[in-house]
């Protein structure tokens, strides 16, 4: 009993000693509860025949009916593969550019030039998605500058935004351009903490730039790269609907219709809240399964080190 009381007193004394830090935690905890945990109550809609007049608790239970309807619907395979392809290609093609950019910036000795380049590369991240899509439509329209250049060389125009074959490439490449600079911050910060003694020793031993990157920079980046890859792979099904929805046209729907845009249309535009909640929950469950699966795979490859 005395030992337990002593432990409780020590914990209470520790909290009192660091009360200012705990006070700083309160806003973050409140926001997390309000916007992350309280909305989980709404997932009950996925298992109910929702009637707005009766409310969530008053509506009748239907079990897994909405999930079965989605899985057996003709749109299921199209939506699933469009989502997986868009996110998987984005992960594969977009994972290395921020790392390469961070390694390149780390080689710049002129600090002023380095800061200016970083500022230019970070800027696209702060441009609204609506503006980005507007720029894409302007540049890739039939009379846009890209088609004017292609037309002057080949005499042909390409309907980039109407052809489903171009949608994924445009979506992914524009995403890489927009987020590459901002995503490189984590890697740049990691490289900044590399001991200068290692670099000096490698220089004395006659190592060139590529040997320094291979033997010093990449080993330092490896833990961050592993964590980033696991989190990105676990989020593979969670493609934001805003950009995909804004880039959609009636002609490119076979490639641009994904689960998140489908949930938006069914839930908010058609008012079928229960069915759309079931589809969204299905998407989240797949994300969780992928996160654990990728984490276990990386553990086997990376000497038992994962998240």
């Amino acid at each position: 009993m005395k030992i337990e009381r002593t432990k409780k007193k020590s914990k209470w004394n520790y909290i009192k000693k660091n009360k200012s830090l705990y006070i700083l935690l309160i806003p973050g905890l409140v926001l997390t509860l309000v916007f992350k945990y309280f909305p989980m109550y709404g997932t009950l809609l996925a298992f109910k025949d929702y009637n707005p007049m009766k409310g969530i608790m008053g509506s009748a239970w239907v079990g897994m009916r909405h999930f079965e309807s989605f899985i057996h619907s003709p749109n299921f395979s199209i939506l699933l593969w469009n989502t997986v392809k868009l996110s998987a290609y984005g992960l594969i093609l977009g994972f290395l550019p921020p790392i390469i950019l961070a390694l390149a910036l780390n080689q710049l000795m002129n600090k002023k030039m380095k800061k200016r380049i970083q500022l230019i590369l970070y800027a696209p991240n702060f441009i609204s998605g609506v503006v980005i899509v507007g720029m894409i439509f302007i540049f890739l329209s039939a009379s846009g500058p890209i088609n004017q250049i292609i037309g002057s060389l080949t005499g042909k125009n390409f309907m980039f935004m109407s052809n489903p074959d171009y949608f994924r490439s445009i979506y992914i490449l524009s995403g890489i351009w927009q987020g590459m600079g901002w995503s490189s911050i984590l890697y740049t910060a990691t490289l900044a903490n590399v001991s200068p003694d290692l670099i000096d020793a490698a220089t004395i031993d006659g190592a060139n730039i590529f040997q320094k990157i291979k033997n010093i920079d990449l080993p330092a980046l490896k833990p961050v790269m592993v964590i980033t890859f696991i989190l990105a792979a676990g989020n593979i099904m969670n493609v934001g609907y805003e950009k995909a929805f804004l880039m959609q046209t009636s002609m490119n729907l076979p490639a641009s219709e994904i689960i998140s845009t489908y949930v938006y249309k069914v839930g908010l535009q058609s008012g079928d809240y229960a069915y759309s909640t079931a589809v969204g929950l299905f998407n989240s469950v797949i994300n969780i399964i992928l996160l654990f699966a990728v984490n276990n795979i990386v553990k086997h490859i990376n000497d038992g080190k994962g998240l």
Side-chain angles (χ1 to χ4, degrees):
M1 292 294 289
K2 289 183 178 180
I3 295 171
E4 288 180 3
R5 288 176 183 175
T6 305
K7 285 182 178 179
K8 287 180 180 179
K9 284 183 179 179
S10 62
K11 286 180 181 179
W12 180 246
N13 290 332
Y14 180 81
I15 292 171
K16 286 175 68 177
K17 185 179 179 181
N18 299 282
K19 62 181 179 181
S20 57
L21 297 177
Y22 284 98
I23 290 171
L24 288 173
L25 279 174
I26 292 173
L29 290 172
V30 171
L31 288 172
T32 303
L33 287 170
V34 171
F35 293 103
K36 298 296 182 180
Y37 285 92
F38 291 164
M40 287 184 182
Y41 168 70
T43 57
L44 289 173
L45 286 172
F47 307 96
K48 295 211 167 200
D49 184 13
Y50 179 62
N51 186 334
M53 300 300 293
K54 295 180 180 179
I56 295 176
M57 297 308 295
S59 300
W61 289 93
V62 294
M64 306 296 288
R65 192 178 75 187
H66 296 310
F67 296 94
E68 292 171 358
S69 297
F70 176 59
I71 292 172
H72 293 103
S73 68
N75 295 321
F76 175 72
S77 58
I78 298 171
L79 293 170
L80 182 63
W81 283 116
N82 281 348
T83 305
V84 170
K85 286 179 182 178
L86 196 62
S87 193
Y89 292 159
L91 173 61
I92 294 167
L93 298 174
F95 184 70
L96 288 179
I99 299 170
I100 295 169
L101 178 61
L103 291 170
L105 288 173
N106 192 52
Q107 300 302 318
L108 290 176
M109 302 303 294
N110 190 324
K111 291 185 177 180
K112 288 185 178 179
M113 180 62 70
K114 183 177 178 179
K115 288 181 179 179
R116 288 172 184 171
I117 293 173
Q118 285 177 320
L119 181 63
I120 294 169
L121 292 172
Y122 297 165
N125 184 71
F126 300 98
I127 302 175
S128 167
V130 177
V131 177
I132 292 290
V133 174
M135 292 168 62
I136 291 171
F137 271 97
I138 291 171
F139 280 103
L140 298 178
S141 65
S143 58
I146 303 297
N147 259 319
Q148 288 182 1
I149 294 170
I150 295 172
S152 63
L153 295 174
T154 63
K156 298 179 181 179
N157 285 341
F158 291 88
M159 303 302 291
F160 289 105
M161 301 308 296
S162 300
N163 193 330
D165 295 334
Y166 296 131
F167 176 80
R168 292 190 189 99
S169 300
I170 295 168
Y171 184 97
I172 292 167
L173 292 176
S174 61
I176 292 172
W177 168 76
Q178 185 181 9
M180 182 174 63
W182 185 255
S183 299
S184 68
I185 290 177
L186 189 60
Y187 302 112
T188 305
T190 304
L191 291 172
N193 292 322
V194 173
S195 175
D197 295 337
L198 292 173
I199 300 171
D200 293 338
T203 305
I204 292 169
D205 290 339
N208 57 34
I209 291 175
F210 297 105
Q211 288 172 330
K212 290 177 185 177
I213 290 173
K214 179 183 177 182
N215 297 297
I216 298 174
D217 294 341
L218 287 178
L221 290 176
K222 186 180 177 181
V224 180
M225 290 167 61
V226 168
I227 293 171
T228 306
F229 180 78
I230 292 171
L231 293 175
N235 210 31
I236 201 167
M237 294 288 290
N238 194 22
V239 183
Y241 85 92
E242 297 94 344
K243 185 179 175 183
F245 181 73
L246 291 169
M247 287 180 64
Q248 281 184 354
T249 65
S250 57
M251 300 295 288
N252 66 21
L253 275 178
S256 64
E257 189 74 301
I258 55 178
I259 291 178
S260 56
T261 58
Y262 182 70
V263 169
Y264 172 78
K265 291 175 181 178
V266 172
L268 294 181
Q269 292 186 348
S270 301
D272 195 348
Y273 302 114
Y275 181 73
S276 63
T277 303
V279 177
L281 186 59
F282 170 84
N283 197 40
S284 300
V285 170
I286 298 297
N287 267 332
I288 294 170
I289 293 170
L290 285 171
L291 178 63
F292 283 104
V294 173
N295 189 38
N296 288 329
I297 292 168
V298 171
K299 277 184 178 180
H300 287 294
I301 298 172
N302 196 35
D303 301 325
K305 294 179 180 179
L307 277 179

